[in-house]
Amino acid sequence: MAGEKNLKFNMNIARKVVDDFYISTKIRCLLLDSEGTHLYWAGGDDVCGALARVIGRSFNCSEMHGKAVSDALRFGGRYIYSCPMGFAFFASPVMDGGALSGALIAGPVQIMESDDQLSGAAFNVYDKGHDIICAAKEALGMAPKKSFEELQALSRILFANAVYISDSTNFLYDVSLESDSRDAVYNYIEYLKNSEGDRVPYPIDKEQELFR
């Protein structure tokens, strides 16, 4: 992306952090720049979009997420909030010194029973028939369900990730990624050495060249 040239943090590291957060929590994670532009996200299911299509009503949540980032700055770096559909989200800013350079936002997370959430003013599906109710509950079920205590813990993890992206000492993460790549090379070499059947002779000279 052209806009990535002006970022104050390492985009490769930020992508890896976002991916790892989603892989470990199964909660959709979004990376924003300082203007609120979506830079990268991880998480397959568009829960909000699926639910909006079922109930025939959509919401523009960009302003809500932007305000949450501002509130996270005010309240020590993390902020938990809810959207009009009743899902929980949590946000943490990515900083460059004392200035905002981006943000991490995670969600949606289901924190109440489906019947309670569907009875909210945003939905009003109970007069729309059995099929709509079932479809709405199925869409809700796409979001991970967490207790408030789990949500608090997850917001602290997201905050730690945001601090890490902000930190100029993240060269340690670069070293870790380099080590992962080296391990992958070693594993592939061992596979070649140990595999059976017809194959090209193992290139021992190439191995010695790679690891000089």
Side-chain angles (χ1 to χ4, degrees):
M1 292 182 178
E4 291 182 12
K5 295 179 180 179
N6 300 320
L7 295 177
K8 302 297 184 181
F9 53 85
N10 186 311
M11 188 62 185
N12 290 330
I13 289 175
R15 286 192 189 98
K16 181 62 175 171
V17 166
V18 169
D19 286 338
D20 286 350
F21 184 87
Y22 171 68
I23 290 169
S24 60
T25 66
K26 303 306 178 190
I27 297 172
R28 190 176 177 93
C29 188
L30 174 66
L31 174 68
L32 308 178
D33 67 10
S34 59
E35 302 298 323
T37 303
H38 294 193
L39 295 175
Y40 186 72
W41 64 90
D45 294 328
D46 180 10
V47 179
C48 297
L51 190 55
R53 286 189 292 273
V54 171
I55 66 175
R57 182 180 180 187
S58 61
F59 301 89
N60 185 352
C61 297
S62 297
E63 184 176 343
M64 175 191 69
H65 292 312
K67 183 179 183 302
V69 174
S70 298
D71 288 337
L73 275 170
R74 291 172 52 214
F75 295 113
R78 61 190 187 94
Y79 186 70
I80 298 172
Y81 57 104
S82 61
C83 74
M85 289 186 175
F87 289 117
F89 289 80
F90 41 109
S92 285
V94 175
M95 306 298 293
D96 174 37
L100 179 71
S101 63
L104 293 176
I105 293 175
V109 175
Q110 192 177 5
I111 56 173
M112 63 181 80
E113 296 300 323
S114 296
D115 286 336
D116 293 333
Q117 191 167 347
L118 289 176
S119 64
F123 296 102
N124 191 27
V125 299
Y126 284 104
D127 60 351
K128 296 183 179 180
H130 178 74
D131 290 345
I132 295 295
I133 294 172
C134 290
K137 287 184 176 181
E138 182 178 352
L140 282 179
M142 295 164 61
K145 190 173 184 178
K146 302 293 181 181
S147 67
F148 186 70
E149 290 75 16
E150 290 172 320
L151 195 61
Q152 290 275 14
L154 286 162
S155 75
R156 287 190 286 270
I157 293 171
L158 189 75
F159 169 65
N161 284 328
V163 169
Y164 185 76
I165 296 172
S166 306
D167 190 352
S168 62
T169 62
N170 58 24
F171 73 91
L172 291 173
Y173 206 71
D174 285 328
V175 172
S176 175
L177 292 176
E178 182 180 340
S179 176
D180 289 345
S181 297
R182 191 182 304 115
D183 288 344
V185 172
Y186 274 119
N187 289 337
Y188 184 63
I189 287 174
E190 289 303 311
Y191 164 77
L192 289 176
K193 287 179 177 178
N194 297 325
S195 60
E196 297 178 355
D198 296 333
R199 56 181 171 81
V200 177
Y202 178 75
I204 188 68
D205 293 339
K206 189 63 175 179
E207 174 186 339
Q208 293 171 349
E209 180 183 338
L210 285 170
F211 292 104
R212 282 174 185 167

